[in-house]
Amino acid sequence: MVRKPTSKETARKPNMREAILAAAEELFATNGFNAVSVRDIAQAAGANPGSVTYHFKTKDGLLLEIYRRHCGPMNLRRSELLAAAKRVRDLQDRLEAIVRAYVVPAFTSGSDLAGGGARFTRLRAVMSAEGNEVARKIIAQTFDDTSHAFIDAIHESLPHIPRTDIVWRSHFLLGALYYSLVTPDRVSRLSRGEADGSDAAGAIEQLVQATVAAFQAPALDQAAPARRRSVASSKT
């Protein structure tokens, strides 16, 4: 039987819940969800396994709480910015404002406890790549409603682009967002120091402009004839 912490232990360690959350987030971001045990989390937090199960019941519940406390504020801010962006009358300006509404909160919410932050972004990237069923359900539960709202808003600004194309391009935006936040040093290295990958404002502008251009590219079925002509001419 798992022992629950006593009231004396809780009083002695009032921040134990926060310590467990921070330790779990760091371990999940570094090692993935599957490879980390409740015992690993407890040891990193300076707690006993009973404290983890007392506060969060299961490892799944711990991951869900990490997502909730980061993504609640981030999704709320995105929704506020999206509502303002949809009021922009010019379609070009509106599209840019919509993309910016999605990108900015991930960069500007730098607190480890209130949305965004490189560590949580790294965790999200690892969870997405790991293919764990628990993580997939949590990700869908946390982000799908907001993602649909952005995809629909972009489609309203670009009605000639099929929604499926917009889904693909928003998928690529998410990958670029992960990579920009997790490995900023690559930009600095490949630019030979001429660009600072850790410059959040510069990264936001580059990502927004590149994404807007990608969304405005011809639809896949519209671009196909041009590609076929190009292939045909290369064979002659």
Side-chain angles (χ1 to χ4, degrees), residues 60-210:
D60 298 1
L62 183 49
L63 182 63
L64 177 60
E65 179 60 22
I66 290 170
Y67 268 83
R68 277 177 176 165
R69 63 191 334 216
H70 280 290
C71 299
M74 184 161 59
N75 283 337
L76 177 61
R77 184 56 179 154
R78 278 177 168 165
S79 296
E80 292 170 348
L81 293 174
L82 177 61
K86 289 170 69 174
R87 292 194 292 270
V88 176
R89 301 189 64 171
D90 181 82
L91 289 180
Q92 172 71 24
D93 292 342
R94 185 192 306 169
L95 176 61
E96 182 172 325
I98 292 169
V99 173
R100 194 178 300 279
Y102 186 84
V103 170
V104 165
F107 280 89
T108 58
S109 299
S111 167
D112 283 337
L113 297 180
R119 184 173 69 185
F120 179 62
T121 302
R122 186 169 69 249
L123 183 150
R124 289 175 61 195
V126 170
M127 293 299 104
S128 296
E130 194 173 48
N132 179 276
E133 185 60 29
V134 171
R136 273 200 297 266
K137 288 180 179 178
I138 290 174
I139 291 168
Q141 177 182 335
T142 305
F143 287 110
D144 278 7
D145 288 346
T146 303
S147 296
H148 279 300
F150 273 90
I151 290 166
D152 290 342
I154 293 167
H155 193 208
E156 289 171 7
S157 300
L158 297 168
H160 60 289
I161 303 294
R163 192 178 186 278
T164 52
D165 285 23
I166 292 171
V167 169
W168 273 110
R169 295 169 193 186
S170 65
H171 189 62
F172 302 149
L173 165 60
L174 184 58
L177 185 58
Y178 284 160
Y179 210 66
S180 298
L181 283 164
V182 174
T183 58
D185 55 298
R186 189 172 187 270
V187 172
S188 304
R189 186 178 72 252
L190 292 182
S191 68
R192 296 181 175 141
E194 293 184 11
D196 179 5
S198 62
D199 174 14
I204 289 170
E205 291 308 311
Q206 292 284 356
L207 189 52
V208 168
Q209 295 307 317

